[in-house]
Amino acid sequence: GAGVSQSPSNKVTEKGKDVELRCDPISGHTALYWYRQSLGQGLEFLIYFQGNSAPDKSGLPSDRFSAERTGGSVSTLTIQRTQQEDSAVYLCASSGGYWDEQFFGPGTRLTVL
Amino acid sequence: AQSVTQPDIHITVSEGASLELRCNYSYGATPYLFWYVQSPGQGLQLLLKYFSGDTLVQGIKGFEAEFKRSQSSFNLRKPSVHWSDAAEYFCAVGPTGTASKLTFGTGTRLQVTL
């Protein structure tokens, strides 16, 4: 079946602009995660959704970052007023439940000029 | 809080040689442990996982890993490396009862020489 998909695959934006990154999880997966991969920080957890609620937002680096999930499926990560330090690959993962393995999407490479 | 250490940033092996990638974790209870592989421009692919039971875990692509509680280690091994194994390998721990996330090590980049 289809895996986790993310769009766009690449995004180049100017400093100060807002961006939206989309994640389509595996059908039926109730848990959804966002991670960020950058040269300086490695792989960092951002946020966890169970259904449409986010019981763990502890990894969001600032209030410029927000995420939502609708219909227990698609999720959008929004970064407002982007900064150069936001440049990274943003990875989405989904799993069948809290204790199940996480399947990762190909990521969105964000470049902030 | 859980943490993962991968002490080797970069490893080079010859094709056909054996491979061992090191991973040490810090967690107070029995951890859930994972190895993921990431090829250039690709997402993370799960190689294998340890939840409980047999401490020697078999994965895809001929990889295996052994959980050693006494050493807090979960090293990844392959008896004979192929050129296509060149990639970055990440060890991860989690989730736990209080944290839903995976905590990753910094990764080991594997280069395979022909």
Side-chain angles (χ1 to χ4, degrees), chain A residues 9 18 21 32 34-36 45-47 51 54-55 58-59 63 69 73-74 80 83 86 92-93 99 102 106 110 113:
Chain A
S9 55
D18 297 352
L21 312 179
L32 186 147
W34 284 97
Y35 293 86
R36 180 169 71 172
F45 165 80
L46 296 177
I47 187 169
S58 62
D63 59 8
R69 189 179 184 194
S73 181
V74 172
Q80 295 179 308
Q83 303 295 312
D86 300 334
C92 176
W99 298 108
Q102 296 177 27
L110 175 66
L113 301 177

Side-chain angles (χ1 to χ4, degrees), chain A residues 35 37 48 98-99 101-102, chain B residues 36 38 46 49 96 102:
Chain A
Y35 293 86
Q37 186 174 24
Y48 157 60
Y98 187 94
W99 298 108
E101 66 184 79
Q102 296 177 27
Chain B
Y36 283 86
Q38 186 177 39
L46 181 68
K49 60 189 177 186
T96 69
L102 290 175

Side-chain angles (χ1 to χ4, degrees), chain A residues 33 35 37 42-45 48 56 58 89 91 98-107 109, chain B residues 32 34 36 38 41-44 46 49 51 88 90 95-102 104-105:
Chain A
Y33 305 79
Y35 293 86
Q37 186 174 24
L43 272 157
E44 304 172 278
F45 165 80
Y48 157 60
D56 189 351
S58 62
V89 176
L91 294 167
Y98 187 94
W99 298 108
D100 293 341
E101 66 184 79
Q102 296 177 27
F103 295 85
F104 283 79
R109 180 175 296 277
Chain B
Y32 285 8
F34 304 84
Y36 283 86
Q38 186 177 39
Q42 304 294 313
L44 294 164
L46 181 68
K49 60 189 177 186
F51 282 175
E88 188 144 23
F90 293 91
T96 69
T98 55
S100 58
K101 63 182 180 181
L102 290 175
F104 288 89

Side-chain angles (χ1 to χ4, degrees), chain A residues 14-68:
Chain A
E14 295 179 347
K15 178 182 172 181
K17 302 280 191 180
D18 297 352
V19 296
E20 286 189 351
L21 312 179
R22 176 186 169 106
C23 172
D24 283 90
I26 293 172
S27 178
H29 278 190
T30 59
L32 186 147
Y33 305 79
W34 284 97
Y35 293 86
R36 180 169 71 172
Q37 186 174 24
S38 58
L39 281 176
Q41 302 298 321
L43 272 157
E44 304 172 278
F45 165 80
L46 296 177
I47 187 169
Y48 157 60
F49 285 93
Q50 181 60 44
N52 292 335
S53 64
D56 189 351
K57 307 178 183 180
S58 62
L60 293 178
S62 76
D63 59 8
R64 296 187 295 106
F65 287 72
S66 63
E68 66 174 10

